[in-house]
Structures are given as C-alpha cells and as structure tokens.
Amino acid sequence: MLVLLPPSEGKAGSGDGAPVALDRLSLPGLTAARGAVLEALVDLCRGDQDVAAEVLGLTPGLRGEIAKNAGLPEAGARPAGEVYTGVLFDNLGLATLDAAAYGRAERSLLVFSGLWGAVRVCDRIPSYRCSMGVKLPGLGALGAYWRSATATVLPEVADGLVLDLRSSAYAAAWKPAGEVASRTATVRVLQERDGKRTVVSHFNKATKGRLVRDLLVTGAEPKTPSELMDALRELGHRVELAAEGTARKAWQLDVVVTEVH
C-alpha cells in the first residue's frame, strides 16, 4: 500500500545535523528536479525581499520564512516525519508508533511537497516554506512542474493499493492514470448532524491522520479499494462507497463522522 499525504504549513525547525543531501533522498529520479526547485527558491529568497514575499504569498508576520529559505543549503536536516507538524501529522503521531508500525510508515507513506516533489517520512530535509501553489521564477507553477517530473517516477513505486489523501493543490503534482488509477482510492470526510451531511474542511486532516495511524498500528495490508473499505470498517470507521473506480478512474470513498475534532 502506498499512502499519498499532503505536507503541513506548520513545520518544526531545522535539525542540528548535516544539510540535506539531495542524492540520498528517496525517489532518486526526482533528484535533478529537486535541485532546480531548491536553487530557484534560494535565489528568490536571497534577492528582493518584497518580491520573495509576493511570490511565496507571505503575510508580514511570515517574512522571516524568507531568511529561512535563503539558508536552506546550509540548514540542518531532520526526518521529514519530524519536520511536518500540522493537524494530519499530529493525529498520525509518528513519534508514538512502535518500531513495527513506524517501519510500515517508512515503507508506505509518501509526503508531497512544493520543494521536494515527494519524500518519505525518513528522508532528512530542513524546514522550509514553499507551497505547491507557488510560481517560481524560471520554473513556473510548481504543480505543473512536478507533474512532469513525477510522471515516470511515481508509477514505479505505486505497485499496489494507492490511498490518496492529498488536497487538490498537491494532487496536481501527480495524478494516477491508467491501471494505477483503477487501484487508487480517494477519501472525502463528511460530518453527519441532524440527518444532514456536510463536507468537513479543516478537520478532515485530523480524520485522515487517524485513519492512517489505525492502518499502520494494526498492520492492515489491503490490496484493493474494496479491501481498504473492509479494513477501515473493521477498525471502527464508517466508510461508504461514493463512486466505484474504473480502468482509468480512482475509487471515491466517504468517511462519515458525527463529531469533528
């Protein structure tokens, strides 16, 4: 099973160890593209600060992120699973998994990123600020840039069930196609209250984090979207089929909750 996750805006500080080594990150087919994005981002942030803030969409209170990006080549790296600290990752709780469950996380989780394309939770990276919606000078929109780079790399590691939990911005970086799409499942979180259902926005990340944690902790290994539904139901989640997949289209699953937290 391959689980596709979005990153988080919130990030821990950079580590005390050696800087990122692009040639030691997972998915080596992305190395050249990562180098180009890193260089473009650092050049941007070492130039005009007002331009950098506008390109990165930073409010005045976040302008300190420009200096952070400017120092990325020298910044200490730490495992990506420690860098990302948002709601999804808080509920996933990688640091509290036992060794077996964490090993499954290392093998199955893939975090998409505007800067790195996609990394595994064990890949050592520094803290940064660069969303997938950014248009970097010389490279253009990162969603389109990474879509070209991942087209041949990602299908090579997507050899079983693909659970796609990314937001739309990060889904733009790679869209499972053909036979891979037929064994891909996307998840929508709905809240049911007083007989009515509404799409959960912010707190859908918390639910998705708990879903992934439950799968990792129990060691569930569904091989198809149908088996995934069964596994999640056995774990106590209310899952409904919204749309069955086809030879070229992903399955759509609804997870229904009564409370959001």
Side-chain angles (χ1 to χ4, degrees), residues 117-154:
V119 292
R120 298 197 183 273
V121 295
C122 53
D123 284 328
R124 299 182 64 84
I125 59 173
S127 182
Y128 65 96
R129 184 81 178 202
C130 184
S131 69
M132 192 64 77
V134 165
K135 295 181 179 179
L136 282 179
L139 297 182
L142 289 177
Y145 177 84
W146 283 116
R147 187 159 60 249
S148 175
T150 59
T152 57
V153 175
L154 268 296

Side-chain angles (χ1 to χ4, degrees), residues 69-159:
N69 284 346
L72 283 173
E74 298 80 32
R78 64 196 305 176
E82 297 178 11
V83 172
Y84 298 116
T85 60
V87 174
L88 189 154
F89 291 90
D90 284 346
N91 284 270
L92 173 54
L94 288 169
T96 62
L97 295 175
D98 63 27
Y102 190 81
R104 288 188 282 271
E106 289 184 318
R107 295 189 296 271
S108 63
L109 305 186
L110 202 59
V111 185
F112 278 69
S113 161
L115 175 53
W116 314 112
V119 292
R120 298 197 183 273
V121 295
C122 53
D123 284 328
R124 299 182 64 84
I125 59 173
S127 182
Y128 65 96
R129 184 81 178 202
C130 184
S131 69
M132 192 64 77
V134 165
K135 295 181 179 179
L136 282 179
L139 297 182
L142 289 177
Y145 177 84
W146 283 116
R147 187 159 60 249
S148 175
T150 59
T152 57
V153 175
L154 268 296
E156 295 177 356
V157 297
D159 57 357

Side-chain angles (χ1 to χ4, degrees), residues 40-53 63 66 70:
L41 179 62
V42 170
D43 287 348
L44 170 70
C45 292
R46 289 179 177 176
D48 188 297
Q49 303 289 284
D50 291 333
V51 172
R63 286 178 72 98
I66 298 173

Side-chain angles (χ1 to χ4, degrees), residues 192-206:
E192 186 172 81
R193 178 183 294 176
D194 299 327
K196 297 181 180 180
R197 293 182 177 182
T198 56
V199 176
V200 177
S201 54
H202 175 71
F203 287 101
N204 89 91
K205 298 176 183 178

